[in-house]
Amino acid sequence: MKIDSHQHYWKADRGDYHWMTPDVPVLYRDYLPVDLQPLLLEHGIQKTILVQAAQTVAETDFLLHLAEVDDSIAGVVGWLDMEDPGFPGQFERYRKNPKFIGLRPMLQDLPNDDWILRPTVIEALRLVADNDFPFEFLTYPRHLPFVLKVLELIPGLRAVVDHISKPEIRIGKLEPWKDWMAQAAQHRNLYCKLSGMITEADHQLWCTGDLRPYVEYVVECLGIDRLMFGSDWPVCLLAGRYGQTIAVMKELLSSTLDDAAERKLFGENATRFYKLDSEAR
């Protein structure tokens, strides 16, 4: 089963997408399953992981409703307030929903880069780890030192770095991203999504070679068993088409992707990370 491990749906008039403005018309519109379904069929993708894009429980509920009525959605990575005193009870309620398969705060948009180290957040993360529940780091490279501290404090956390932590591909900057990613890779419960890279490159002029040093380094650090393909659709439309996100990945990894490795990258690793085949949930 082929899985796109990272995509979004939204309705613009819901009003809780703080980053969405008419200045970016390609994103300032509704994107729903009916829009993506033809592309999934064209490229042989059977399931997707639907990821939150607003810091509200209301959006999490909206996404879970979509997952109930659309079979192509394997599960939802949602948002809950990890600083709310009621988080433990809320987390337990949502965790009972078999379509609620992951948790993601939007670290890249928070005013304090070290928010993840707040005592109340660490306490919430310990609860997440105790339940072996998937957690996602949405970061820029500057957040990685704090991610590393979290991984040291809670080594059992089942976590994934989205979009290879958004290095500055546009200007070809590799350090200190490389050093921090190498350190993160030492934590065996950490995965990484090969996603969201073309939008970190020059939107109009990017080429496969711009992404190559970043992709090859992540493969070197983590190995194919801890990587997942994600389109980041429809955000990817800022810089390319859905099919390009697949084609560029296959081109970059052509020397690595035998049939077994391709199955891992495009499905098996996501199935294992999110426990999609687990009857315990």
Side-chain angles (χ1 to χ4, degrees):
M1 181 171 64
K2 288 189 176 181
I3 298 173
D4 178 344
S5 76
H6 199 104
Q7 57 87 202
H8 307 281
Y9 293 131
W10 57 66
K11 286 181 65 68
D13 63 3
R14 291 190 60 260
D16 50 1
Y17 302 102
H18 65 278
W19 48 268
M20 187 183 295
T21 68
D23 297 338
V24 188
V26 69
L27 299 183
Y28 193 70
R29 48 152 288 189
D30 295 352
Y31 285 99
L32 295 168
V34 66
D35 301 299
L36 183 57
Q37 194 60 42
L39 298 172
L40 299 180
L41 290 172
E42 179 183 352
H43 297 285
I45 304 292
Q46 286 83 36
K47 297 285 185 178
T48 72
I49 306 299
L50 177 57
V51 182
Q52 64 81 227
Q55 299 178 95
T56 66
V57 174
E59 198 229 12
T60 298
D61 291 337
F62 165 69
L63 299 180
L64 287 170
H65 172 71
L66 290 180
E68 289 175 5
V69 299
D70 191 281
D71 289 339
S72 69
I73 301 172
V76 169
V77 175
W79 182 94
L80 300 176
D81 187 350
M82 298 177 69
E83 292 190 285
D84 190 320
F87 173 79
Q90 187 178 56
F91 174 62
E92 183 61 26
R93 288 195 304 275
Y94 275 83
R95 203 169 65 84
K96 291 178 180 178
N97 186 328
K99 289 291 187 176
F100 185 70
I101 62 171
L103 181 65
R104 184 176 87 152
M106 301 179 76
L107 301 184
Q108 68 171 26
D109 295 334
L110 297 176
N112 297 312
D113 290 349
D114 63 351
W115 177 90
I116 197 71
L117 292 176
R118 290 184 178 183
T120 53
V121 178
I122 290 294
E123 184 178 351
L125 280 173
R126 291 192 191 280
L127 178 62
V128 171
D130 287 346
N131 285 277
D132 195 30
F133 192 77
F135 183 81
E136 307 215 1
F137 290 108
L138 174 62
T139 59
Y140 290 112
R142 69 176 187 270
H143 298 94
L144 288 176
F146 308 112
V147 169
L148 291 170
K149 290 182 180 179
V150 168
L151 296 175
E152 292 167 3
L153 288 169
I154 315 174
L157 184 67
R158 177 189 292 266
V160 60
V161 174
D162 291 346
H163 314 323
I164 69 170
S165 197
K166 296 192 170 186
E168 296 178 82
I169 298 172
R170 179 185 296 266
I171 60 173
K173 186 175 181 180
L174 287 162
E175 296 291 357
W177 170 84
K178 285 180 66 175
D179 180 54
W180 290 332
M181 286 298 294
Q183 293 181 57
Q186 299 305 307
H187 296 268
R188 303 308 299 175
N189 289 324
L190 185 76
Y191 287 62
C192 186
K193 289 186 182 180
L194 292 175
S195 59
M197 290 175 289
I198 63 174
T199 47
E200 297 306 311
D202 187 301
H203 290 181
Q204 304 301 321
L205 300 175
W206 71 271
C207 66
T208 302
D210 296 334
L211 312 184
R212 186 176 301 280
Y214 300 91
V215 172
E216 290 183 347
Y217 188 72
V218 169
V219 173
E220 176 187 340
C221 286
L222 285 100
I224 203 70
D225 288 341
R226 289 192 283 157
L227 299 176
M228 302 176 238
F229 162 76
S231 67
D232 199 26
W233 184 93
V235 180
C236 68
L237 299 179
L238 291 167
R241 301 182 304 278
Y242 185 86
Q244 285 181 286
T245 67
I246 298 173
V248 72
M249 198 55 54
K250 290 186 175 181
E251 181 181 349
L252 285 168
L253 298 176
S254 59
S255 62
T256 305
L257 284 183
D258 57 19
D259 289 345
E262 184 168 342
R263 287 195 301 270
K264 290 177 180 180
L265 182 66
F266 286 92
E268 290 179 1
N269 294 346
T271 297
R272 183 174 66 255
F273 178 79
Y274 291 109
K275 299 188 282 188
L276 299 180
D277 55 359
S278 173
E279 294 182 0
R281 288 190 40 77

